[in-house]
Structure formats: C-alpha cells, structure tokens
Amino acid sequence: MPGGTRRTRYARLATERANPASLDLDRLSARHIAQLMNREDARAVRAVGRVAARIAAAVELIVASLSRGGRLFFVGAGTSGRLGVLEAAECPPTFGTPPRLVQAIMAGGRASVFRSREGAEDDRAAAAREIRRRVRSGDVVIGVSASGVTPFVRAALHEARRRGAITALVACNAASAAGARVVIDPRPGPEVLAGSTRLKAGTATKLVLNTLTTASMARLGRVYGNRMIDVQVRSRKLRDRALRLVEELGGVSRPRAARALAHARGRVRIAVVTARTGATPRDAARALANAGGSLRALLETSPRVVKARARNGESRRR
C-alpha cells in the first residue's frame, strides 16, 4: 500500500527516530537537559564539518551563477523554509545585495513564516507554480529539507531543473539527489526531542546556509578581509561600524572618515577609496566598477591607477 510505504520511509529517517541519549528527557533536571542538548548540538557542528567539500562545490556553483547575472533561491517548508527566509533576509544588510539577488520560497507563502502550516509541505503543485513564476535559467535553487523527502522541496527542484536552473539540496538525512546537482547532507542524528527538526537538524542547516552565503559573497568581493564593506548605514551602531571601516581601511582620522562617508552618501567601499586615494566619489565608483567591484584589487594599486581606471570607465560609457 502507498500509505504503508510512506510510513515505513519516514520511520527509517534518522531525524524521526528516538535518541537513546534522551529517553528519560522528561525526568531530567533543567541543568542535565541543558548539558545533554549542548552535547548533542556539538554533533551538528561536526556533521557539517564532514560535508565541507560538498558545501564548497555548491559555493562554486553559486559564485558562477551570480557572476553571470543569476540569482539564488532557497526553497523549503516549516523550520527549513524559515531558515531559508532568514538567510535571504540577512544578505542585503550584511553584503549590500539587492533583495532580488537572494530570495526565499516558503511552502504556504509568507503567512507560514510566522505561523505553522504543516500541510503546505505536501503541496507539489504550489511549489511548481512558484518556481515557474520566479525562477529562470541560470539561477541557483537550493532545496532545504531536514528529511530530504519533503514533497514541496522535491517538486520545486524538479521544476527548477526543468527550467534550466542549477539545483542543490541541503538535507539532514542520507538523501537521494532529488534532481539536485549537489547534495549537502550533514547527518546530526536523532533529535533530543524525537522528530523535532528545529533542534540539531535546524542548527546544522543554519550552519550550512551561513557558510553558503558568506563564502559566496566573499568570493564575489563583497567583503574585504573579514569586514562587511557593504554595510548599510541605517542605525547608530551601523554608522559607527561604517566610520570605523573607513577610518581603518582608508587610513584617515575619524573626522576625515565622516566627511568621506558623507560625500559617498553612506557607501562604505566608495568612501574607503576616496579616503585612501583622494579620488572623488564619482571617480571612485567608476574605478570600482572597472575593477569588477573588488575593493581589494583597487586598494592594492596606486592612486594614479585608480584615476586611470576611472577615466577608462568614463571613456567606455561614451
């Protein structure tokens, strides 16, 4: 029977099984529960470490796609979907990316981000519709599914591949490819609370997604060293961070950093170039564009080269 097959399949998933270490969870003290969960969480970290090569393979696909004008989509349901939403939402303030560059598709739509709609994970048709509506050839679609068998995610990956998108899957069980070019499957094992994949599986998933976006943006030149050079100055804390970046990377005093940031209209990487080289914000922007947006490549040249690159950029526009 189909129903029996499905039950057997889910029962075999590690994330659905009872964890022998927590069989007496309801009898433990708060301190013992905290210690137990900490030990189990460490398993999630180690599990992610074991799939570093697969994460790197996915990063290379993302970098190649975004370099050619593609976009990155995370697709998921439940906790996995919410983690994808969170990752996409954090990219603009962290890396200065436009909201369209990294997006999330959540089973059940936006309302499911705030209130659980568990049945939405079975809606294959809705997944295919969302992919057809939003994804195009050359984009990267990453399915996020703790179980690895979520129908919404599998249908989305199938449709994405049909449309010429590059696909990957993040799952916390031994997972089939499900139409994905790369499968990242850390296996943190059974949860402290059986079946509650917001725990270790959620932790492992968050670690993987953090690495995918951070490594990709670093490779694309959206960081300098370990600094967020495209930070958006929208609060006191972020303004102070931006000033420190211009001061330190530009090699100028705090007052000069403030002036450079103001003249650059809050754009940190442009302010750094103007502070370091004396170029105007317009020339700095042109030189950066001519250097492929790489602040490192530009700062490792002389001020004379920066001005020459700015002139080259202007002549091409003419």
Side-chain angles (χ1 to χ4, degrees):
M1 292 175 59
T5 301
R6 172 173 288 187
R7 283 194 297 272
T8 301
R9 182 178 63 184
Y10 282 117
R12 293 174 61 186
L13 297 175
T15 50
E16 291 292 320
R17 294 202 299 266
N19 188 331
S22 61
L23 293 178
D24 293 325
L25 183 67
D26 60 343
R27 301 172 65 181
L28 298 179
S29 69
R31 180 172 181 176
H32 283 117
I33 292 174
Q35 291 172 333
L36 169 63
M37 293 187 69
N38 180 253
R39 287 196 300 272
E40 291 295 315
D41 286 342
R43 294 179 185 274
V45 177
R46 291 195 295 271
V48 172
R50 290 192 290 270
V51 294
R54 296 186 181 189
I55 296 172
V59 167
E60 296 299 340
L61 294 175
I62 294 168
V63 170
S65 171
L66 269 54
S67 297
R68 295 191 299 263
R71 300 163 300 163
L72 172 61
F73 291 83
F74 294 113
V75 181
T79 296
S80 296
R82 293 182 192 97
L83 290 171
V85 170
L86 178 61
E87 200 66 33
E90 292 289 353
C91 282
T94 304
F95 304 110
T97 57
R100 59 174 290 279
L101 190 67
V102 183
Q103 301 181 39
I105 296 175
M106 175 80 182
R110 291 189 177 189
S112 294
V113 175
F114 304 99
R115 181 167 296 185
S116 177
R117 292 181 59 192
E118 299 297 342
E121 70 178 51
D122 295 328
D123 196 339
R124 294 174 176 271
R129 281 196 304 271
E130 281 299 300
I131 295 296
R132 286 194 296 269
R133 185 171 72 87
R134 297 170 61 176
V135 174
R136 61 181 181 236
S137 177
D139 289 339
V140 177
V141 177
I142 298 183
V144 188
S145 167
S147 68
V149 296
T150 306
F152 185 93
V153 172
R154 294 174 75 89
L157 290 176
H158 176 78
E159 185 63 26
R161 188 174 182 180
R162 215 171 61 82
R163 294 181 65 80
I166 301 156
T167 56
L169 173 67
V170 178
C172 288
N173 288 285
S176 65
R181 186 164 169 183
V182 176
V183 177
I184 302 168
D185 56 348
R187 304 177 198 178
E191 301 288 4
V192 167
L193 184 63
S196 183
T197 52
R198 66 189 179 87
L199 301 178
K200 279 192 301 184
T203 298
T205 298
K206 185 70 170 74
L207 293 172
V208 170
L209 300 189
N210 282 170
T211 307
L212 289 174
T213 57
T214 303
S216 295
M217 295 304 166
R219 299 271 290 159
L220 288 166
R222 288 191 171 271
V223 302
Y224 180 84
N226 62 355
R227 306 299 189 90
M228 293 189 288
I229 54 172
D230 283 320
V231 61
Q232 297 180 4
V233 185
R234 293 179 177 171
S235 69
R236 289 182 179 179
K237 179 185 73 174
L238 295 178
R239 176 172 173 76
D240 183 76
R241 182 185 299 165
L243 283 170
R244 281 185 280 114
L245 284 169
V246 178
E247 184 180 4
E248 294 169 17
L249 299 181
V252 295
S253 65
R254 177 59 69 100
R256 285 188 61 187
R259 287 195 296 273
L261 193 62
H263 291 156
R265 292 181 294 175
R267 295 169 294 176
V268 172
R269 71 168 73 200
I270 291 176
V272 169
V273 174
T274 62
R276 177 76 75 89
T277 67
T280 66
R282 174 181 287 187
D283 283 349
R286 288 173 183 161
L288 275 166
N290 203 35
S294 172
L295 181 60
R296 179 173 291 283
L298 205 57
L299 293 186
E300 289 177 352
T301 63
S302 69
R304 180 168 49 83
V305 173
V306 171
K307 292 177 181 178
R309 284 183 170 174
R311 287 195 298 272
N312 290 340
E314 177 65 17
S315 63
R316 273 200 296 272
R317 268 182 281 277
R318 291 175 181 166

